[in-house]
Amino acid sequence: GQNIDQPTEMTATEGAIVQINCTYQTSGFNGLFWYQQHAGEAPTFLSYNVLDGLEEKGRFSSFLSRSKGYSYLLLKELQMKDSASYLCAASRDNYGQNFVFGPGTRLSVLP
Amino acid sequence: NAGVTQTPKFQVLKTGQSMTLQCAQDMNHEYMSWYRQDPGMGLRLIHYSVGAGITDQGEVPNGYNVSRSTTEDFPLRLLSAAPSQTSVYFCASSSPGQGAYEQYFGPGTRLTVT
């Protein structure tokens, strides 16, 4: 079957570090993606892992372990504007399309 | 560039009516997709296309049709609207030429079926 799990909600303090975990089971796998979605808006791309290891982009990093079906998104130096939902998605085909999305993790950053 | 545009932004339909949600992109992207987003369920893929003339089904294709006659446009047709199709619909596009398969999403269409 196709299944992606991530925590429903998380809370963190401004300036802190937060890790959002994602586990996946999909038939076919060609990459793990993270998107940010503010309330009432469209998702925007954050990061992409196709090989095991860590990808770093400024304050955001993403990690993938294909053997464990596990990824995480690390957000450093949290800012109030990081309050949003974070969507984990797995691509299932060779085109990097045919995505399955997780339910999203709603992150609240408190002052 | 306008990016990905969707029309209409809001729509109310009665059960049994049909309509077409429009999606267009001006980035010359090969790949386009349609998703629906319901509370607590994340995004679910309806149909996608990897090029003009090529479409495939996603996770929840029933009740929806698509066609891709041009690179720019990817309309989604609701054949006979049902209350279960009340949702927010997002169109997205991407291109392997940009390396990371980053999807660009349109602003969404909020559809209510009564």
Side-chain angles (χ1 to χ4, degrees), chain A residues 2 30 33 35 37 40-45 48 57 87 92-104, chain B residues 31-33 35 37 40-43 45 48-50 57-59 90 94 99-103 105-107 110:
Chain A
Q2 324 296 330
N30 193 31
F33 294 70
Y35 284 84
Q37 185 177 27
E41 298 182 7
T44 55
F45 172 80
Y48 161 65
K57 290 178 72 173
L87 313 179
R92 295 184 291 174
D93 68 6
N94 290 334
Y95 293 101
Q97 299 298 295
N98 197 355
F99 286 97
V100 175
F101 275 79
Chain B
Y31 303 162
M32 297 185 75
S33 301
Y35 296 89
Q37 187 171 37
M41 299 196 70
L43 288 160
L45 182 65
Y48 65 103
S49 169
V50 297
Q57 295 182 348
E59 190 180 351
F90 288 104
S94 63
Y101 307 112
E102 171 182 350
Q103 288 192 100
F105 283 82
R110 283 146 183 82

Side-chain angles (χ1 to χ4, degrees), chain A residues 18-32:
Chain A
V18 70
Q19 178 174 312
I20 303 174
N21 295 324
C22 170
T23 58
Y24 65 90
Q25 283 182 304
T26 61
S27 58
F29 178 79
N30 193 31
L32 196 290

